[in-house]
């Protein structure tokens, strides 16, 4: 059973500058909630009981948001306005935090969760990828697939060919029910993408991923790339991809963020 999840939220968000200099993209408002609340709700609604959020010095707003504000509660109580906090998010599980001292890449951020994962399979949710879906939450879809196949699973979306250069793209053999056996993976292919199957920010990993993350990067490279670790994992232990039902929005770009706002507005 997958009961733990890691949310890496320590990146600089350079595509969102200048606003991300002081407001983390994970805290961008989507209605009255910050984006990361969608992710935390998705995790707990999917059976996750413990979450580790990877933050940095610039992301203390995230820690503050999920904490109680006793001063504000007392203030609202005095004014009989506690109903204003009725939408406040009270996590149903435990949230832990750790800081990534240098933004050395997504692979490095996930690596920091090794002792948290404690030798168990775990989920990873990227907080800048919001998946709207009325049925089973995105990470739950992967957890259910992991429980059937016993291998690490990455979330996939079919993407237009001219957009594939923005994603990690897999090469894979089709299995049943929108699943693929991954044979290779290329990060942001400039030419000749191996398929139209792009990796989106939802994963379930066996603890074996850490042994690959620990042997990266090769000398001279600065970033520890999760994609490279998944490529090696796929070649040795095996790794599957699974198409995720739902609409995915990348709030790391202005287009993705605006499309999410418009979709949420229409749904309300
Ligand atoms: P991105 O690749 O979107 O990087 O990271 P980024 O820094 O957030 O944004 P851009 O590309 O510069 O605009 C995907 C997820 O991984 C986290 C980010 O916070 C984001 O949620 N991440 C990335 C880390 O936690 N640490 C890192 O070193 C890099």
């Amino acid at each position: 059973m997958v009961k733990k999840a890691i949310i890496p939220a320590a990146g600089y968000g350079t595509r969102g500058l200048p606003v991300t200099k002081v407001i983390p993209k994970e805290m961008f408002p989507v209605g009255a909630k910050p984006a990361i609340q969608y992710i935390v709700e998705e995790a707990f609604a999917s059976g996750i009981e413990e979450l580790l959020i990877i933050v940095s010095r610039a992301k203390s707003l995230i820690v503050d948001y999920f904490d109680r504000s006793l001063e504000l509660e007392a203030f609202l109580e005095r004014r009989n306005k506690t109903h204003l906090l009725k939408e406040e998010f009270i996590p149903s599980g435990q949230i832990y935090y750790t800081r990534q001292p240098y933004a050395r890449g997504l692979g490095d951020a996930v690596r920091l969760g090794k002792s948290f994962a404690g030798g168990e399979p775990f989920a990873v949710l990227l907080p800048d990828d919001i998946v709207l879906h009325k049925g089973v939450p995105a990470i739950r879809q992967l957890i259910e697939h992991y429980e059937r196949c016993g291998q690490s699973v990455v979330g996939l979306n079919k993407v237009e060919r001219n957009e594939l250069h923005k994603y990690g793209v897999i090469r894979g053999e089709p299995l049943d029910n929108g699943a693929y056996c991954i044979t290779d993976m290329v990060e942001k292919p400039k030419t000749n993408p191996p398929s139209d199957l792009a990796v989106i920010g939802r994963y379930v990993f066996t603890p074996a991923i850490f042994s690959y993350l620990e042997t990266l990067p090769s000398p001279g490279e600065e970033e520890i790339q999760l994609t490279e670790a998944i490529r090696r994992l796929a070649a040795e232990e095996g790794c599957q991809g699974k198409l995720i039902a739902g609409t995915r929005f990348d709030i790391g770009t202005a287009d993705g963020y605006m499309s999410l706002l418009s979709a949420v507005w229409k749904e309300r």
Side-chain angles (χ1 to χ4, degrees):
M1 298 301 279
V2 180
K3 296 285 173 206
K4 295 181 178 177
I6 299 175
I7 301 183
Y12 281 114
T14 53
R15 287 167 301 158
L17 285 170
V19 67
T20 48
K21 190 176 154 196
V22 290
I23 303 178
K25 63 183 165 184
E26 297 83 4
M27 292 303 291
F28 283 2
V30 182
K33 300 186 210 174
I36 195 167
Q37 186 170 337
Y38 282 78
I39 304 294
V40 171
E41 285 177 353
E42 177 185 325
F44 287 136
S46 299
I48 295 297
E49 292 172 359
E50 291 176 89
L51 266 182
L52 174 68
I53 306 185
I54 314 288
V55 290
S56 65
R57 273 183 306 281
K59 305 279 179 126
S60 305
L61 273 185
I62 298 176
V63 185
D64 292 344
Y65 181 74
F66 289 115
D67 196 2
R68 287 179 62 183
S69 168
L70 299 179
E71 241 175 271
L72 175 64
E73 285 170 29
F75 174 84
L76 292 174
E77 232 159 72
R78 280 200 306 276
R79 313 227 156 172
N80 285 327
K81 284 187 175 173
T82 46
H83 63 280
L84 294 177
L85 271 180
K86 74 176 183 316
E87 300 275 339
E88 193 192 21
F89 180 64
I90 310 292
S92 58
Q94 181 68 43
I95 305 184
Y96 303 93
Y97 302 90
T98 196
R99 273 188 179 175
Q100 185 189 24
Y102 302 100
R104 288 187 62 216
L106 177 55
D108 181 55
V110 172
R111 204 171 51 87
L112 294 175
K114 184 178 177 187
S115 54
F116 166 77
E120 294 169 30
F122 62 100
V124 173
L125 299 91
L126 301 194
D128 47 358
D129 268 352
I130 307 262
V131 184
L132 294 184
H133 184 47
K134 292 213 166 60
V136 181
I139 196 65
R140 181 75 221 159
Q141 296 175 36
L142 295 193
I143 292 172
E144 286 174 3
H145 188 72
Y146 167 78
E147 284 167 359
R148 284 192 294 271
C149 75
Q151 285 190 330
S152 296
V153 191
V154 307
L156 299 176
N157 248 191
K158 283 201 172 171
V159 166
E160 297 290 334
R161 282 197 100 72
N162 60 353
E163 293 284 301
L164 284 167
H165 64 277
K166 299 177 187 162
Y167 298 86
V169 181
I170 69 147
R171 185 191 309 282
E173 307 290 340
L175 305 165
D176 289 342
N177 296 325
Y180 294 81
C181 172
I182 298 180
T183 54
D184 199 5
M185 197 165 157
V186 185
E187 184 62 24
K188 302 192 173 91
K190 289 196 179 79
T191 51
N192 299 327
S195 71
D196 61 351
L197 299 166
V199 175
I200 65 168
R202 298 292 183 277
Y203 315 80
V204 174
F205 290 120
T206 63
I209 193 73
F210 292 115
S211 55
Y212 300 100
L213 286 171
E214 277 162 4
T215 54
L216 295 175
S218 48
E221 278 179 64
E222 267 199 6
E223 274 212 355
I224 300 187
Q225 292 219 356
L226 183 60
T227 303
E228 184 51 29
I230 298 174
R231 232 170 56 81
R232 297 182 191 191
L233 177 80
E236 291 177 21
E237 193 189 70
C239 180
Q240 295 196 11
K242 173 94 172 84
L243 285 170
I244 287 189
T247 313
R248 173 249 185 198
F249 299 88
D250 175 7
I251 62 160
T253 67
D255 272 1
Y257 176 58
M258 297 309 277
S259 310
L260 172 66
L261 292 187
S262 135
V264 170
W265 184 255
K266 278 187 202 134
E267 266 185 14
R268 86 200 190 286

